[in-house]
Amino acid sequence: MKETPWSLQPPAFTEIEQAATRIRRVLRETPLLESERLNRRLGGRLLVKAEGLQQTGSFKARGAWNRLSLLTSAERDRGVATFSSGNHGQAVAWAAGRLGVRRAVVVMPADAPARKIEATRSWGGEVILYDRNRQDREAIGRALAEEQGLVLVPPYDDRRVVAGAGTLGFEVAEQAGRMGAKPDALVVCCSGGGLAAGCSLAWEALLPESRVWAVEPRAFDDTARSIAAGKRLANASGAQSICDAVLAPMPGLLTFAINAPRLGGVAVVSDDEVLEAMRVAFAEFGLVAEPGGALTLAAALSGRVRTEGRCTVLVLSGANVDPDVFTTALAR
Amino acid sequence: MKETPWSLQPPAFTEIEQAATRIRRVLRETPLLESERLNRRLGGRLLVKAEGLQQTGSFKARGAWNRLSLLTSAERDRGVATFSSGNHGQAVAWAAGRLGVRRAVVVMPADAPARKIEATRSWGGEVILYDRNRQDREAIGRALAEEQGLVLVPPYDDRRVVAGAGTLGFEVAEQAGRMGAKPDALVVCCSGGGLAAGCSLAWEALLPESRVWAVEPRAFDDTARSIAAGKRLANASGAQSICDAVLAPMPGLLTFAINAPRLGGVAVVSDDEVLEAMRVAFAEFGLVAEPGGALTLAAALSGRVRTEGRCTVLVLSGANVDPDVFTTALAR
């Protein structure tokens, strides 16, 4: 049996702790907010992690910063390549610029939101567009990295990226403690599963009686189906959702291995429930949430994760939404 | 000469410090954010105080909480009355509920945003609507308080309310210190002038080489004109602006006495510049800013306050905007 490469083995908890120290110099401790009205409405205590206020507008800055901080100086001089539906790409381009990495080549779907493509370029990223329904982004990214001598930075299947994402769980546990709250669950969005995996490892160590729950859009419920089946299953080719941030084709190797035995469960929500959640985040918190970032609130509002009579942390994971999509949510 | 009543004398710096301790238990330390792209665009360092994430969605919770915390138990049993274009009213209703104050009667303009009226009611406030162009809100509030034995809580002309607003300046000075930043200016919105006054007193003590600047919408430039004239001047009756949060008829007695000798200056911006600033707050920070809350960013983007080559703190003071107004800003 082939040995699992080091980068695809789960990070130890100490690697998440070290990542938390590493990111503190540059990333933000995003606020953990609470709305008394929403608590009343749902009959429980909701804590909302406003991660859309993070550098580059999503949690992806955590994993990107942690991974790129660990490049050797020779690797920095070569540059990095990645593939991303948009938020990871922005984060890698930003981190590369801040850390003096020579190049950041980002393979993005041609139908990514205009602002994500522009933002990636604004951080100095070299954007290469591909057709999400006909081409394999990972293959393009790997080929590019090999041809041009770049270090490939996967969006989730890398222990350093997962450890970086796990700093969010680490930070929430600290913040909840300072607020005197004892969360019964942490709810995160799920695409490739990096955030869920990192947070699961952090919470296993810090809040062992609590569980991490994942939320997916209906057309991209690969993690829910994969966990039920006990093996990694892909999404249908051509699947559509407004949640452009969570369109990974299937669970990662590393992330699935971490998530399958640890997640409390996976909730699946509709695009309509997501739009309603975006409206509620606007009205109750003054926060912009992109569709993928509002999945968790959608699951809470629709009752697809239980919030009654308990304390639940919802991660609003990103804010990078085009104005027309946001307007659609407000028009409801 | 009549002696100035105690409540209309400027608070000492220690009263702001005490208020900062008092609010810490319940209010939020809202984040101080920075956008590298915006810094690059303006050629200076901008720090954005995301005060729309405060309890009840605006800085008004600071003054309301401080004032209502200082009610005697006999006063709490009677209740409070106030007049407000919306944000102060919400904040008073909310603080009253949390502090066990029996009633909170709020006199609000009939054309206030629907969500501000609803929110005030949702916190248990009794809303009384008046016609902004024909009636005197302060007179209505005073009469009500007298008839019904309520304690009047003015929106800015009260040293405890000003001290509460000053906690924002106090907090920003601390946060900037932690970030290693030395602000050259703090820019705040200005209606009755309470935020400007409280922050001016805090900064005079903490950052004496720095100044507080105020920003008004063009149709409500009473503070700018009053300072130029050396006496308090009113706005034209029937004046209109999308900045519904900053429609006070004229500078306060207490606030003008504090602001006139202390403000670095007063900038005046157009409604159009405000809409553009709302769009930029959405795109660069993932923040919802109501029109009055975006005045400061409008002043920075339009060059009406200088930001080049210096460090400027902009207070985004509130997030309570109706969806249709927000959509108008995004459609630009």
Side-chain angles (χ1 to χ4, degrees), chain B:
Chain B
M1 201 176 149
K2 219 174 80 177
E3 205 192 334
T4 308
W6 177 83
S7 74
L8 287 176
Q9 292 170 20
F13 177 66
T14 52
E15 291 174 66
I16 300 175
E17 282 184 303
Q18 286 157 8
T21 305
R22 201 171 283 132
I23 67 167
R24 208 159 274 166
R25 284 173 298 137
V26 180
L27 271 72
R28 298 177 183 140
E29 182 182 302
T30 53
L32 195 58
L33 302 172
E34 189 168 11
S35 155
E36 290 162 47
R37 273 194 303 238
L38 214 50
N39 286 354
R40 219 149 53 194
R41 172 171 160 191
L42 294 174
R45 185 174 190 185
L46 284 191
L47 302 176
V48 165
K49 178 71 169 164
E51 187 69 5
L53 303 178
Q54 191 49 272
Q55 296 279 15
T56 75
S58 87
F59 78 93
K60 290 288 191 179
R62 296 175 182 268
W65 186 263
N66 191 49
R67 175 65 190 93
L68 269 63
S69 295
L70 294 167
L71 291 172
T72 65
S73 94
E75 287 172 331
R76 280 202 303 273
D77 289 346
R78 278 154 54 201
V80 295
T82 192
F83 43 92
S84 160
S85 56
N87 281 334
H88 174 69
Q90 282 181 70
V92 166
W94 168 80
R98 289 282 295 246
L99 287 162
V101 176
R102 198 166 67 86
R103 299 175 60 197
V105 181
V106 183
V107 179
M108 289 176 80
D111 62 351
R115 69 172 280 169
K116 291 188 178 178
I117 296 174
E118 282 160 25
T120 304
R121 289 190 176 128
S122 83
W123 300 122
E126 304 167 39
V127 174
I128 295 180
L129 299 176
Y130 78 102
D131 180 341
R132 196 160 55 80
N133 295 316
R134 292 156 177 270
Q135 295 181 284
D136 177 347
R137 65 182 192 169
E138 190 165 343
I140 301 175
R142 283 195 189 286
L144 248 169
E146 211 157 302
E147 281 161 26
Q148 309 195 11
L150 304 170
V151 177
L152 189 70
V153 177
Y156 41 85
D157 252 352
D158 181 292
R159 71 192 287 163
R160 293 150 294 196
V161 173
V162 167
T167 63
L168 189 144
F170 187 89
E171 193 172 291
V172 166
E174 278 190 344
Q175 290 176 301
R178 288 203 298 268
M179 292 167 73
K182 285 189 186 164
D184 297 295
L186 172 66
V187 188
V188 300
C189 63
C190 188
S191 177
L195 182 59
C199 289
S200 288
L201 293 174
W203 277 39
E204 187 174 59
L206 296 170
L207 291 160
E209 283 163 31
S210 176
R211 282 279 170 285
V212 174
W213 291 68
V215 186
E216 296 179 306
R218 189 155 291 156
F220 291 83
D221 62 345
D222 49 314
T223 294
R225 287 183 295 106
S226 297
I227 287 180
K231 62 178 180 186
R232 296 194 301 145
L233 300 174
N235 291 305
S237 157
Q240 296 289 342
S241 165
I242 53 162
C243 300
D244 62 87
V246 291
L247 307 185
M250 69 189 301
L253 258 174
L254 167 60
T255 52
F256 185 68
I258 295 170
N259 287 332
R262 287 181 180 81
L263 289 183
V266 185
V268 173
V269 300
S270 71
D271 279 3
D272 212 52
E273 287 163 343
V274 165
L275 287 169
E276 169 63 10
M278 290 168 67
R279 195 191 60 73
V280 170
F282 163 88
E284 288 299 325
F285 296 101
L287 288 173
V288 177
E290 64 178 286
L295 279 165
T296 55
L297 183 55
L301 293 172
S302 63
R304 296 179 194 283
V305 296
R306 185 188 139 201
T307 52
E308 204 183 335
R310 61 198 305 199
C311 175
T312 307
V313 180
L314 305 176
V315 180
L316 299 192
S317 51
N320 298 317
V321 53
D322 276 343
D324 57 335
V325 176
F326 201 72
T327 296
T328 306
L330 294 193
R332 287 173 55 87

Side-chain angles (χ1 to χ4, degrees), chain A residues 24-306:
Chain A
R24 207 160 273 164
R25 286 173 297 138
V26 180
L27 271 72
R28 298 176 182 140
E29 182 182 302
T30 53
L32 195 58
L33 302 171
E34 189 168 9
S35 155
E36 291 162 45
R37 273 194 304 237
L38 214 50
N39 287 353
R40 221 149 53 197
R41 173 172 160 192
L42 294 175
R45 185 174 191 187
L46 284 192
L47 302 175
V48 166
K49 179 70 170 164
E51 188 69 6
L53 303 177
Q54 191 50 271
Q55 297 279 16
T56 74
S58 88
F59 78 93
K60 289 289 192 179
R62 296 176 182 268
W65 186 264
N66 191 50
R67 175 65 190 94
L68 268 63
S69 294
L70 293 167
L71 291 172
T72 64
S73 95
E75 287 171 331
R76 280 202 302 274
D77 289 345
R78 278 155 51 201
V80 295
T82 190
F83 44 93
S84 160
S85 57
N87 281 333
H88 174 69
Q90 281 180 71
V92 166
W94 167 80
R98 289 282 293 247
L99 287 162
V101 176
R102 198 167 67 88
R103 299 175 60 196
V105 181
V106 183
V107 179
M108 290 174 80
D111 62 350
R115 69 172 279 167
K116 291 188 179 179
I117 297 174
E118 282 159 25
T120 304
R121 290 192 175 126
S122 83
W123 299 123
E126 303 166 41
V127 174
I128 294 180
L129 299 175
Y130 77 102
D131 180 340
R132 193 159 58 77
N133 295 317
R134 291 157 178 269
Q135 295 180 284
D136 177 347
R137 64 182 193 170
E138 192 165 341
I140 300 175
R142 282 194 190 286
L144 247 167
E146 210 156 304
E147 281 161 28
Q148 308 195 12
L150 304 170
V151 177
L152 190 69
V153 177
Y156 41 84
D157 252 351
D158 181 291
R159 70 191 290 165
R160 293 149 294 193
V161 173
V162 167
T167 64
L168 189 144
F170 187 90
E171 192 173 293
V172 166
E174 278 190 344
Q175 290 176 302
R178 288 203 300 267
M179 292 167 74
K182 284 189 188 165
D184 296 296
L186 172 67
V187 188
V188 300
C189 64
C190 187
S191 179
L195 182 58
C199 290
S200 288
L201 294 174
W203 277 40
E204 187 174 60
L206 296 169
L207 291 160
E209 283 163 31
S210 175
R211 281 281 170 284
V212 174
W213 292 68
V215 186
E216 296 179 306
R218 189 153 294 157
F220 290 83
D221 62 345
D222 49 313
T223 294
R225 287 183 295 109
S226 297
I227 287 181
K231 62 176 179 187
R232 297 194 302 145
L233 299 175
N235 291 304
S237 158
Q240 294 289 340
S241 164
I242 53 162
C243 300
D244 63 86
V246 289
L247 306 186
M250 68 188 300
L253 259 175
L254 166 61
T255 53
F256 185 69
I258 296 171
N259 287 330
R262 287 180 180 82
L263 288 182
V266 185
V268 174
V269 300
S270 70
D271 279 4
D272 212 51
E273 288 163 342
V274 165
L275 287 168
E276 169 64 8
M278 290 168 68
R279 196 193 60 75
V280 170
F282 163 88
E284 288 298 324
F285 296 101
L287 289 174
V288 176
E290 64 179 286
L295 279 165
T296 57
L297 183 56
L301 293 172
S302 63
R304 296 180 194 280
V305 297
R306 184 187 140 204

